[in-house]
Amino acid sequence: MPASPTAAGPAGSVSPEVLAAVFSVAAGDEGPALLVAETVGDTPRVTWASEGAVRLLGSDAEDVRGLPVADLVPTLGAGELAVLLRRERASRLALPVRTAGGLLDAVVRSAPAPSGTAWTLTVVPGDGAADRVSRATADAAERRFATLTERSPIPTLLSEQGMRLAHVNDAFCRLAGRPAGDLLGTGWTRTVHADDLGAVVEVVAAALQGEDGEVRARLVRADGAERATVLRFGHVFTPGVGSGFLGTIEDVTDRLAFEARLAHQASHDPLTGLPNRTLLDQHLTTRFSAGGRLACLFLDLDDFKVVNDSLGHEAGDELLVEVAGRLRATVRPGDLVTRFGGDEFVVVCEDVDEADAAALAERIVAALAVPVHLAGVRFRPHASVGVTVQAPEHADAADLVRDCDIAMYQAKAGGKGRVRVLDRSGRAEARDKLRLVADLRDAIERRAITLHYQPIVLAADGSLEAVEALARWTHPERGPISPEVFVGLAEESGLVGPLGLLVLDEACRQVVAWDRQLGAAAPPRVNVNVSALQLDGGLQAEVVSALRRHGLAPARLSIEITESALMTDPAAARGVLQELRDLGVAVAIDDFGTGYSSLAYLRHLPVDCLKVDRSFVAELAEGHPQIATAVIALARSLGLSTVAEGVATPAQAAALTGLGATYLQGFSLAVPMDGAATAAWAGAR
């Protein structure tokens, strides 16, 4: 038999003598009909019966002990028996009980032991017919509620009158970590966080008046853990009793935690844990509009690419994490440290002047310069830092960051590990450059970059051999922009890739259009220039894509690359050029003689043609033909053709032909023309 429950009196405990007296009365012949049921195997069985229970059932004590509870209450099915013998809260049912004289209408109350495997059953014989009807009605409601809610995973609570709960389901007990007895009546309100209880009471009061409502509140479990929940209440009216409510509880703790993680990931860099540009923008915008005095420090790590290329990206990531930690440790409390992107960081300070901001930047540079070991190599990090303080000319927070970026580039131009406060005299020029880059990006996206074509002719008879595609940009406000300017901007700003793709695609399209228009008179080949930044593993795929897209044979295309670009990474360049040659695309070295290339290495490059730089052609007029002569002779000895660029006069054309140049190109022969003019020129010849 399980231990008897204890009751706390005024002194907080009950003496053994009192317990013995109470137990003696309960077990005696005049006491209530008490039974103890325990799970034996998988079956709940009666393991003890009081004298009152033995007398009520009309059986011997030995016959009662071991009796399955299901035999005692035969009208309950297996599922309904679980309603009577609940593990987490007491229950009460009006139902027939089997006795020696037959079935007896009774009220059976069941109270679970803390273990959940034993119950104390109290059997009270039924009263008159009216009472039986009333109890049957109440019990039917109890059973319906139990059937609907007990197995529901949704925590549910029911009040038949006011704030006092009459029923709670097991899901609510599990959520609160408390037995049902602690939650019935007004006990459930003690699970609501003290700061949220007022809001919950207001919504419940509205529900008692007939309104539906919901409220967010924290529930405090028995173990002290807090759960974030949404409580929803609806009005319930019980005739003869009054207004109550039916409530359900949604545990949103895990969902809110997941949403918080997503929000953190959206606003923080996953590698360093620092706020990212999104949070930086929000922070700056809020404080900029508040009218505070902000300072912005823009940091760019020097030689970070060297670390990545020589020690690997894992070492690069390790360096970024180390830099983030040093920045946090160096700035003032309240300063914001963010990772702007790549190897760039931004620090935002409030209520500082220019001198204070510059002093902080110097401290940061000194802190970063402490050596760190990466992949077993001792490395001393350096950073170029630009400093800007909020000024009246800053229209918004983005202006402040742009100026800070400009100051950083001014610092980088002065050497490694430098700090530079924005040079306002150079600010307009730098901003103009940034605007021009933005306009160039827009022009590339809108395909507003056009191509002109300059003919390349055979030196021997002047017949058309090819045309060189030359990019042209007419700015809507500034007019024509020099290719030297916008191509350089494209290389600095990472736009050379999109620009090169546009030129390649348009040149292939134009050749196909000429073929349809001119037939055999169309230019046999188009030469397209590529930058050193395009010499990566993707160039060959881009060329193949453009040729296939327009149905152009590879032999109709020649790729030109400058000698200096080849010398940036000769081994990588050789691999890319070989891939192009294998396709059947011709390859030419542009501006040959200006890049200090190794002649021994040149012999192994997969090229078809050398283009003599225009500066050497110009020297012919000054009586200095030596370099042009040497380049042409070198090409001949290597089995390569030559193109003499910048032929400005008929005399130069005649001299170059005499020196053995294969092809000529220059203004004396034909100026660069758009596609239609080139077609007319070719057709006329």
Side-chain angles (χ1 to χ4, degrees), residues 492-685:
E492 292 177 12
S493 58
L495 294 175
V496 71
L499 176 61
L501 285 177
L502 186 154
V503 172
L504 176 63
D505 183 76
E506 176 59 22
C508 292
R509 185 204 65 79
Q510 183 62 75
V511 172
V512 174
W514 285 331
D515 285 348
R516 289 196 298 265
Q517 180 181 357
L518 301 174
R525 189 176 66 250
V526 63
N527 291 17
V528 174
N529 294 278
V530 299
S531 162
L533 299 177
Q534 293 175 267
L535 287 181
D536 54 29
L539 180 59
Q540 187 249 21
E542 292 165 356
V543 169
V544 169
S545 177
L547 293 174
R548 288 179 177 172
R549 186 161 52 250
H550 298 287
L552 189 66
R556 305 292 299 281
L557 177 65
S558 178
I559 295 296
E560 293 189 11
I561 182 167
T562 64
E563 182 185 14
S564 57
L566 279 175
M567 291 298 96
T568 302
D569 189 347
R574 185 181 188 281
V576 174
L577 297 185
Q578 186 62 58
E579 290 178 342
L580 296 174
R581 282 287 300 277
D582 292 343
L583 286 175
V585 173
V587 177
I589 299 180
D590 199 9
D591 300 337
F592 186 78
T594 62
Y596 307 102
S597 62
S598 166
L599 298 182
Y601 189 77
L602 176 64
R603 184 165 57 88
H604 300 288
L605 283 175
V607 299
D608 303 282
C609 178
L610 299 182
K611 298 192 75 172
V612 183
D613 186 67
R614 65 184 63 247
S615 62
F616 304 140
V617 172
E619 289 180 353
L620 294 175
E622 302 170 3
H624 301 294
Q626 294 86 350
I627 298 181
T629 302
V631 172
I632 294 171
L634 174 64
R636 186 184 303 114
S637 68
L638 295 175
L640 306 177
S641 62
T642 52
V643 175
E645 296 183 286
V647 180
T649 65
Q652 289 177 342
L656 290 163
T657 302
L659 292 175
T662 314
Y663 307 107
L664 304 176
Q665 177 183 359
F667 277 74
S668 69
L669 303 168
V671 299
M673 301 167 282
D674 62 21
T678 302
W681 186 90
R685 293 176 70 85

